[in-house]
Amino acid sequence: MDVRDIVTRISGSYHPDLGLVTQAIGGASTVHTPSGDVLRCHVRGRLRKSGVRILPGDVVRFARVGDGEGVVEEVLPRRSTLVRPYIANVDQVVLVASLAEPPPSLDLLDRLLVLTQAEGLQAFIVWNKADLVSRAEAEEYIRVYERAGFPTAVTSPKADLGRDELLRGLSGHLTVLAGASGVGKSSLLNWLLQEKRFETGEVSRRLGRGRHTTRAVELVPMPGGGWIADSPGFSVLDLSELSLERLPELYPEMGRMRGACRFTGGLHRNEPGCAVRDAVCAGEIDPGRYERYLRLLGELEEAERRRYQ
């Protein structure tokens, strides 16, 4: 997916004066044009006064003002907007979890999946650092999420494992990487690009987590097509504004059982005739993932109580 493809997808038609913002720092933006040029652009005065914030992933209308220079005159309507990181028009989130060093945080992974589903974006799980565990150990995690309905890839830059599979998953998408610090996101990007473009950080042996290495969000083209952005590592996601009723819909394995429960609109916790709880008991839904769902459900209930106190 080149710039022309993105411009056409976002705007609905092709125009040579539309481009893709790949980085925005302060008042300057890097804009890639359909013709292959890269422009350093500032924002037109009237647009700047309107308070609009230019984001990586934006499709903008630009005017050339000199060699390699331009002015952003308009930001086209966004199809999606993420706040952390600030990025527009993403259609896929690659959720990176390390199989070891640090061990996978399934609570964080499930929260990221809920957030991705809530935003209407496609989720793709990458199980990284596969060289540090046996295949049987990896399968304990992989099987749970594949059965839930999420596409996955198993990777190891050190062992050169899974690169082609991951590139196929990125092709045709505008993707953002998400995951805790230390899971190897920057190393993955360098490996995919076959160049050391992103700074990497070693995992702290004492704390068991990585140092934050990403500073500014930047979209980069992938060798197999598509564009991808790294995001700062983080470990806390605020989902307190999510409604209780919507949460079960954001778990695909529960959503597939819509209509099978005795009571519609249930939370799958203690209602009689609950097909989801029956599926957990039968091993059709992973018990660990269900327990993490109940914890998140409890957090949302507490947040709702605080709002109405």
Side-chain angles (χ1 to χ4, degrees):
M1 181 172 65
D2 59 17
V3 173
R4 181 168 181 158
D5 294 329
I6 295 174
V7 164
T8 303
R9 189 182 75 182
I10 302 303
S11 69
S13 59
Y14 168 69
H15 299 279
D17 60 345
L18 295 179
L20 172 69
V21 176
T22 58
Q23 194 170 41
I25 301 176
S29 301
T30 302
V31 177
H32 285 238
T33 74
S35 62
D37 296 332
V38 180
L39 304 178
R40 179 178 173 82
C41 294
H42 293 275
V43 181
R44 181 74 73 186
R46 63 177 180 273
L47 184 61
R48 184 177 62 251
K49 291 177 181 178
S50 72
V52 68
R53 176 174 181 171
I54 309 296
L55 302 179
D58 273 330
V59 170
V60 298
R61 190 178 305 279
F62 65 89
R64 297 175 186 268
V65 296
D67 186 21
E69 300 286 330
V71 176
V72 174
E73 298 187 320
E74 179 188 1
V75 179
L76 270 63
R78 296 161 178 159
R79 293 197 170 190
S80 66
T81 306
L82 295 181
V83 175
R84 190 175 184 183
Y86 275 111
I87 189 169
N89 296 318
V90 166
D91 64 279
Q92 177 175 254
V93 181
V94 166
L95 308 170
V96 184
S98 60
L99 289 163
E101 295 182 11
S105 172
L106 300 184
D107 277 295
L108 175 60
L109 177 57
D110 285 350
R111 286 170 177 267
L112 285 166
L113 287 167
V114 166
L115 180 63
T116 300
Q117 300 283 105
E119 294 289 338
L121 305 176
Q122 180 173 314
F124 189 99
I125 302 174
V126 172
W127 298 98
N128 196 29
K129 303 187 183 182
D131 57 296
L132 299 179
V133 299
S134 68
R135 181 66 190 186
E137 291 174 297
E139 282 291 344
E140 291 182 14
Y141 299 109
I142 297 165
R143 190 181 305 112
V144 169
Y145 289 89
E146 286 186 339
R147 288 181 63 188
F150 296 107
T152 66
V154 181
T155 60
S156 168
K158 286 188 176 180
D160 198 26
L161 172 67
R163 183 172 181 268
D164 289 344
E165 181 182 5
L166 181 50
L167 286 174
R168 284 194 296 270
L170 299 176
S171 179
H173 294 284
L174 203 161
T175 299
V176 64
L177 257 63
S181 60
V183 298
K185 300 192 304 298
S186 296
S187 295
L188 272 175
L189 285 175
N190 290 336
W191 175 57
L192 290 171
L193 294 167
Q194 298 288 278
E195 62 175 288
K196 190 172 182 180
R197 182 162 179 168
F198 293 86
E199 180 187 356
T200 61
E202 295 180 355
V203 174
S204 166
R205 295 182 182 275
R206 182 172 65 85
L207 299 178
R209 60 174 182 263
R211 300 187 184 98
H212 296 288
T213 55
T214 305
R215 293 295 178 264
V217 177
E218 179 186 6
L219 277 167
V220 294
M222 287 289 100
W227 293 71
I228 196 166
D230 193 6
S231 64
F234 54 90
S235 58
V236 178
L237 289 172
D238 181 13
L239 298 172
S240 60
E241 296 301 316
L242 191 67
S243 69
L244 291 172
E245 294 74 18
R246 193 180 179 199
L247 183 62
E249 300 174 4
L250 304 177
Y251 285 72
E253 63 269 54
M254 297 183 189
R256 290 193 291 269
M257 295 186 172
R258 186 182 295 111
C261 294
R262 184 186 303 176
F263 299 99
T264 59
L267 297 177
H268 309 304
R269 180 170 49 196
N270 49 27
E271 303 92 340
C274 176
V276 168
R277 287 194 293 114
D278 290 344
V280 173
C281 293
E284 297 168 6
I285 290 179
D286 179 68
R289 188 160 148 82
Y290 176 69
E291 287 299 321
R292 293 189 293 277
Y293 159 78
L294 292 179
R295 287 202 294 272
L296 182 53
L297 180 64
E299 290 180 25
L300 296 182
E301 287 177 324
E302 179 59 29
E304 189 173 85
R305 280 193 292 269
R306 287 198 299 268
R307 279 199 299 271
Y308 293 103
Q309 282 180 349

